[in-house]
Amino acid sequence: MKRKLALIMATVCTLIVAGCGNNSSNNADNGGAAVNTPKETAAAEATAAPAKDVTIKMFQFKVEIAEQLNALAEEYEKETGVKVEVETHGGGEDYGALLKAEIASGSEPEIFNNGGYTALVPYMDRATDLSDQPWAANLIPTAKAPATVDGKLYGMPMNVEGYGLIYNKDLFEQAGITEEPKTLTQLKDAAAKLKAAGITPFEATNEWWSMGIHLVNVGLAHQPDPKQFIEDVKAGTQTIKGNAVFEQWLDLVDVIFDNAQDNKMTTDYATQVAEFASGKAAMMLQGNWTQGDIDKIDPALNLGLLPLPINDEEGTILVGVPNNYIVNSKSAHPEEAKAFLNWLVTSETGQKYLTKEFKFIPAETNIAADAADIGQVAVAVQEKSATALGWNWDMFPDGVTQGFGAAMQEYLGEQIDRGQLLEKLDKAVQDIVKQ
């Protein structure tokens, strides 16, 4: 039934390190030394001089790299003279709504994040065609899809990410679990063994985006044709309630929610990651983007990544492009924004930050990603990518996933039952589509 996507990561696992050394010299008769005329010397000095006093603004959502991105901006200013002002909104914030408010206020950031597909439509009047940029030729082909419209590329893929159930191998060993659970029955058995050993099986979160995007996507991704299913749900010719896959998906949701910590209704994202990293639970539904925050608490934690099964078939992880950098053509300095993004993926400094500091799995084939840099969870994503399913939530209009998240929060708090949850997921779609 599953539509296997050996899409992004199979290519990532064979990353090519592009030669970037530039060994040019001018040979002259005086012992091979280069001789520059006064005009050539002046030109060289002008090229090396700091750029004019320019500030570009990046309005970005990835809270996990906020500190590192600010440090990167300082490095860029030192090298070029161009200041990059980074404004971060994410986690529990509604990034999409805040971006709309930012633009409505008259502020036009040079660079902003967008998931692509349907989410890109409202910003097509601002999105700049980046097809001719030097880095575009190095992109993993499937990473281009979310921001490609009519054959033109309107965004730089931020990176490649995957999610599933991150687990603490040492806690599994304490509970006597010797094999990774791959089916729902095996996951239930693992949860029971953990509880019997006095270990909380899951650290859950009340964040709308974690449940309304990542968890709901498991039901979407397992459809025989996710894109067609989403189009049918939007058109009202298909419903989530009554769908066999989503009925099975509810069983996975119940396993996680019923075996989570007591205070799950008040646990935000930061607390979820911190508690898991502190060894207070054996599993959490998250992805490789959490590695940096985990390492701040316990860099020696022994981690693995489990699939998300909905029945007694083997489950899969979910892999995709989390977001794209859009260059805003209505901003004051779009050309400087293009230059910054090019530097980000081609310079030694930018590539170092992408892998060592951001711990990203690059979307470009010319950037090497060492296991020691990107972390255990990202390595597990690479290892399990051949059978991965995809990310589908950006095929819905803006606002739908927030509705999904609100319904999931009600279900987490036991305010509605299974049937009511599926009804509310359908309603979340129709409420937006009818607007």
Side-chain angles (χ1 to χ4, degrees):
M1 178 178 75
K2 300 175 184 175
R3 188 180 63 141
K4 300 298 184 183
L5 299 180
L7 66 167
I8 298 170
M9 301 304 303
T11 309
V12 174
C13 294
T14 56
L15 290 172
I16 307 165
V17 181
C20 55
N22 186 4
N23 218 0
S24 60
S25 62
N26 295 317
N27 292 323
D29 292 336
N30 58 337
V35 177
N36 293 328
T37 66
K39 182 182 289 187
E40 288 172 333
T41 302
E45 289 174 351
T47 302
K52 60 183 178 180
D53 184 18
V54 171
T55 297
I56 62 174
K57 182 173 182 179
M58 173 183 277
F59 197 88
Q60 76 98 27
F61 90 112
K62 203 155 188 61
V63 295
E64 299 89 351
I65 63 167
E67 183 179 334
Q68 297 92 326
L69 196 53
N70 285 325
L72 174 68
E74 292 180 7
E75 295 276 5
Y76 187 68
E77 185 175 6
K78 289 176 185 176
E79 290 191 23
T80 67
V82 175
K83 182 176 182 179
V84 180
E85 180 182 296
V86 180
E87 186 171 337
T88 300
H89 295 282
E93 296 180 293
D94 188 339
Y95 174 83
L98 290 169
L99 175 59
K100 288 179 180 178
E102 178 80 3
I103 293 173
S105 72
S107 174
E108 294 281 355
E110 273 73 17
I111 300 169
F112 60 87
N113 292 144
N114 185 274
Y117 294 122
T118 303
L120 183 58
V121 174
Y123 299 99
M124 283 302 295
D125 62 334
R126 287 174 168 78
T128 303
D129 181 7
L130 302 176
S131 306
D132 64 348
Q133 292 301 290
W135 48 263
N138 296 321
L139 286 176
I140 297 166
T142 47
K144 300 177 183 179
T148 296
V149 180
D150 296 331
K152 295 180 179 179
L153 183 66
Y154 288 94
M156 172 191 276
M158 179 184 291
N159 62 322
V160 172
E161 291 182 342
Y163 71 91
L165 294 170
I166 301 176
Y167 77 102
N168 184 321
K169 292 183 178 181
D170 293 336
L171 292 182
F172 266 47
E173 184 178 348
Q174 287 180 33
I177 303 169
T178 56
E179 293 184 7
E180 289 189 350
K182 296 175 181 174
T183 69
L184 192 64
T185 296
Q186 291 170 349
L187 185 61
K188 289 178 181 177
D189 290 344
K193 288 181 180 178
L194 288 162
K195 290 177 84 169
I199 300 167
T200 301
F202 297 94
E203 185 72 26
T205 177
N206 66 354
E207 297 283 7
W208 72 267
W209 55 269
S210 180
M211 295 184 290
I213 293 178
H214 297 144
L215 190 49
V216 172
N217 180 62
V218 178
L220 297 172
H222 277 83
Q223 301 295 326
D225 186 341
K227 183 176 181 180
Q228 187 59 54
F229 176 75
I230 291 170
E231 291 304 313
D232 290 344
V233 170
K234 290 192 291 186
T237 59
Q238 172 70 278
T239 58
I240 293 173
K241 186 175 184 181
N243 177 265
V245 172
F246 266 96
E247 293 290 345
Q248 294 177 329
W249 166 81
L250 282 169
D251 295 333
L252 169 66
V253 175
D254 286 346
V255 170
I256 296 172
F257 288 1
D258 292 346
N259 293 282
Q261 78 281 12
D262 292 336
N263 65 336
K264 55 183 178 285
M265 277 301 295
T266 57
T267 301
D268 62 12
Y269 167 75
T271 304
Q272 178 196 30
V273 175
E275 296 288 270
F276 172 80
S278 299
K280 294 185 178 179
M283 293 175 276
M284 69 171 178
L285 194 161
Q286 286 294 348
N288 60 286
W289 54 84
T290 62
Q291 186 76 64
D293 288 331
I294 291 171
D295 288 349
K296 290 176 183 176
I297 295 172
D298 188 354
L301 212 58
N302 192 10
L303 301 175
L305 185 67
L306 300 174
L308 286 160
I310 65 170
N311 51 35
D312 278 333
E313 294 181 22
E314 284 193 12
T316 67
I317 63 168
L318 292 300
V319 170
V321 174
N323 236 281
N324 300 275
Y325 293 118
I326 309 299
V327 173
N328 185 357
S329 62
K330 294 188 178 182
S331 64
H333 305 292
E335 292 305 314
E336 284 81 357
K338 288 182 187 179
F340 170 70
L341 291 181
N342 187 57
W343 176 87
L344 177 64
V345 295
T346 60
S347 71
E348 181 179 349
T349 303
Q351 291 184 4
K352 181 193 76 172
Y353 268 83
L354 283 172
T355 56
K356 294 180 182 293
E357 303 298 331
F358 298 174
K359 298 191 179 297
F360 278 178
I361 302 172
E364 296 81 10
T365 59
N366 64 308
I367 303 176
D370 187 83
D373 295 333
I374 62 177
Q376 298 174 80
V377 183
V379 170
V381 169
Q382 291 177 317
E383 292 171 349
K384 297 177 184 292
S385 64
T387 57
L389 298 180
W391 294 8
N392 306 278
W393 54 85
D394 280 314
M395 296 181 192
F396 286 108
D398 189 29
V400 169
T401 54
Q402 288 86 343
F404 286 167
M408 293 298 293
Q409 287 171 333
E410 288 187 79
Y411 190 66
L412 178 69
E414 300 180 8
Q415 297 168 280
I416 55 176
D417 61 25
R418 288 164 61 111
Q420 290 172 315
L421 170 60
L422 298 183
E423 287 175 0
K424 292 206 169 197
L425 295 181
D426 279 319
K427 187 175 184 298
V429 178
Q430 292 307 315
D431 283 351
I432 297 297
V433 169
K434 291 174 181 177
Q435 289 180 4

